[in-house]
Amino acid sequence: MAPNLSQHFASGCHAPLRLFHHRLITWGRLELADSAVADTGADPTRAAIARKLDQLREAQQAGQLAPAWDPVDVLALVNQIATTWAAQPEIGAVSAEQAADPSVAARRAAVVDAVEHLFPRVKR
Protein backbone atom coordinates (compact mmCIF):
# COMPACT_ATOMS: atom_id res chain seq x y z
CA MET A 1 0.00 0.00 0.00
CA ALA A 2 1.34 3.39 -0.91
CA PRO A 3 2.10 5.55 2.15
CA ASN A 4 -0.04 8.36 0.80
CA LEU A 5 -2.99 6.64 -0.80
CA SER A 6 -4.68 9.72 -2.23
CA GLN A 7 -1.46 10.85 -3.89
CA HIS A 8 -0.98 7.34 -5.33
CA PHE A 9 -4.42 7.30 -6.91
CA ALA A 10 -4.50 10.94 -7.94
CA SER A 11 -1.03 11.36 -9.41
CA GLY A 12 0.38 7.93 -10.10
CA CYS A 13 -2.46 5.95 -11.58
CA HIS A 14 -4.54 8.83 -12.80
CA ALA A 15 -2.13 11.50 -13.92
CA PRO A 16 -3.63 14.16 -16.16
CA LEU A 17 -3.72 13.02 -19.79
CA ARG A 18 -3.65 14.87 -23.04
CA LEU A 19 -6.95 14.75 -24.91
CA PHE A 20 -5.45 12.63 -27.71
CA HIS A 21 -4.30 10.01 -25.21
CA HIS A 22 -7.67 10.04 -23.48
CA ARG A 23 -9.46 9.43 -26.77
CA LEU A 24 -7.00 6.71 -27.76
CA ILE A 25 -7.42 4.88 -24.45
CA THR A 26 -11.20 5.14 -24.69
CA TRP A 27 -11.20 3.79 -28.24
CA GLY A 28 -8.89 0.96 -27.18
CA ARG A 29 -11.33 -0.01 -24.45
CA LEU A 30 -14.10 -0.23 -27.03
CA GLU A 31 -12.11 -2.45 -29.38
CA LEU A 32 -10.10 -4.56 -26.97
CA ALA A 33 -12.55 -5.27 -24.16
CA ASP A 34 -14.55 -7.93 -26.00
CA SER A 35 -11.48 -9.65 -27.49
CA ALA A 36 -9.71 -9.82 -24.11
CA VAL A 37 -12.75 -11.43 -22.50
CA ALA A 38 -13.20 -13.83 -25.40
CA ASP A 39 -9.53 -14.89 -25.44
CA THR A 40 -8.93 -15.30 -21.71
CA GLY A 41 -12.33 -15.26 -20.10
CA ALA A 42 -11.16 -12.31 -17.98
CA ASP A 43 -11.87 -8.63 -18.36
CA PRO A 44 -8.65 -6.70 -17.57
CA THR A 45 -10.53 -3.46 -16.89
CA ARG A 46 -12.81 -5.11 -14.34
CA ALA A 47 -9.81 -6.81 -12.74
CA ALA A 48 -7.97 -3.49 -12.42
CA ILE A 49 -11.02 -1.83 -10.88
CA ALA A 50 -11.46 -4.71 -8.44
CA ARG A 51 -7.79 -4.39 -7.37
CA LYS A 52 -8.18 -0.66 -6.79
CA LEU A 53 -11.37 -1.19 -4.77
CA ASP A 54 -9.56 -3.79 -2.65
CA GLN A 55 -6.74 -1.28 -2.05
CA LEU A 56 -9.25 1.35 -0.97
CA ARG A 57 -10.98 -1.10 1.41
CA GLU A 58 -7.60 -2.06 2.88
CA ALA A 59 -6.77 1.62 3.36
CA GLN A 60 -10.07 2.12 5.18
CA GLN A 61 -9.40 -0.88 7.42
CA ALA A 62 -5.87 0.40 8.16
CA GLY A 63 -7.22 3.85 9.09
CA GLN A 64 -5.60 5.61 6.13
CA LEU A 65 -8.94 6.57 4.58
CA ALA A 66 -12.19 7.50 6.31
CA PRO A 67 -14.75 4.69 6.03
CA ALA A 68 -17.64 7.14 5.46
CA TRP A 69 -17.35 6.75 1.68
CA ASP A 70 -17.99 3.56 -0.23
CA PRO A 71 -14.78 2.61 -2.09
CA VAL A 72 -16.71 2.60 -5.39
CA ASP A 73 -17.65 6.25 -4.85
CA VAL A 74 -14.08 7.19 -3.89
CA LEU A 75 -12.69 5.58 -7.04
CA ALA A 76 -15.29 7.18 -9.32
CA LEU A 77 -14.70 10.66 -7.90
CA VAL A 78 -10.91 10.39 -7.97
CA ASN A 79 -11.04 9.18 -11.58
CA GLN A 80 -13.21 12.13 -12.61
CA ILE A 81 -11.07 14.69 -10.80
CA ALA A 82 -7.91 13.28 -12.38
CA THR A 83 -9.33 13.17 -15.92
CA THR A 84 -10.78 16.68 -15.83
CA TRP A 85 -7.79 18.09 -17.72
CA ALA A 86 -8.05 15.50 -20.48
CA ALA A 87 -11.78 16.01 -20.90
CA GLN A 88 -11.57 19.82 -21.03
CA PRO A 89 -8.57 20.85 -23.14
CA GLU A 90 -9.87 24.40 -23.42
CA ILE A 91 -9.19 24.89 -19.71
CA GLY A 92 -5.62 23.68 -20.24
CA ALA A 93 -5.15 26.14 -23.09
CA VAL A 94 -6.33 29.08 -20.99
CA SER A 95 -4.29 27.93 -17.99
CA ALA A 96 -1.14 28.05 -20.12
CA GLU A 97 -1.73 31.79 -20.42
CA GLN A 98 -3.22 32.66 -17.02
CA ALA A 99 -2.23 30.11 -14.36
CA ALA A 100 0.46 31.05 -11.87
CA ASP A 101 2.17 27.78 -12.80
CA PRO A 102 0.83 26.20 -16.02
CA SER A 103 2.98 23.04 -15.77
CA VAL A 104 1.61 19.51 -15.73
CA ALA A 105 3.29 19.09 -12.33
CA ALA A 106 1.18 21.96 -10.97
CA ARG A 107 -2.00 20.40 -12.36
CA ARG A 108 -1.06 17.05 -10.82
CA ALA A 109 -0.38 18.75 -7.47
CA ALA A 110 -3.81 20.40 -7.62
CA VAL A 111 -5.47 17.03 -8.24
CA VAL A 112 -3.57 15.47 -5.31
CA ASP A 113 -4.50 18.37 -3.03
CA ALA A 114 -8.18 18.15 -4.00
CA VAL A 115 -8.27 14.42 -3.35
CA GLU A 116 -6.48 14.77 -0.01
CA HIS A 117 -9.03 17.39 1.11
CA LEU A 118 -12.00 15.39 -0.12
CA PHE A 119 -10.77 12.13 1.41
CA PRO A 120 -8.61 13.01 4.44
CA ARG A 121 -6.76 10.45 6.50
CA VAL A 122 -8.53 9.16 9.57
CA LYS A 123 -7.40 11.06 12.66
CA ARG A 124 -6.75 8.86 15.66
Side-chain angles (χ1 to χ4, degrees), residues 63-106:
Q64 294 178 316
L65 180 65
W69 291 79
D70 187 301
V72 171
D73 296 324
V74 173
L75 185 59
L77 289 168
V78 170
N79 278 331
Q80 288 306 303
I81 291 169
T83 59
T84 296
W85 290 102
Q88 300 180 57
E90 59 280 357
I91 293 176
V94 172
S95 74
E97 300 166 3
Q98 297 187 15
D101 180 355
S103 70
V104 172

Side-chain angles (χ1 to χ4, degrees), residues 4-7 10 64-66 69 77-78 81 109-123:
N4 185 334
L5 185 75
S6 60
Q7 184 175 13
Q64 294 178 316
L65 180 65
W69 291 79
L77 289 168
V78 170
I81 291 169
V111 169
V112 169
D113 189 55
V115 170
E116 287 175 342
H117 281 85
L118 188 57
F119 305 108
R121 290 178 179 263
V122 175
K123 294 181 180 171

Side-chain angles (χ1 to χ4, degrees), residues 9-23:
F9 276 94
S11 70
C13 295
H14 307 290
L17 301 171
R18 296 188 189 279
L19 183 59
F20 172 77
H21 296 134
H22 181 70
R23 287 180 181 156

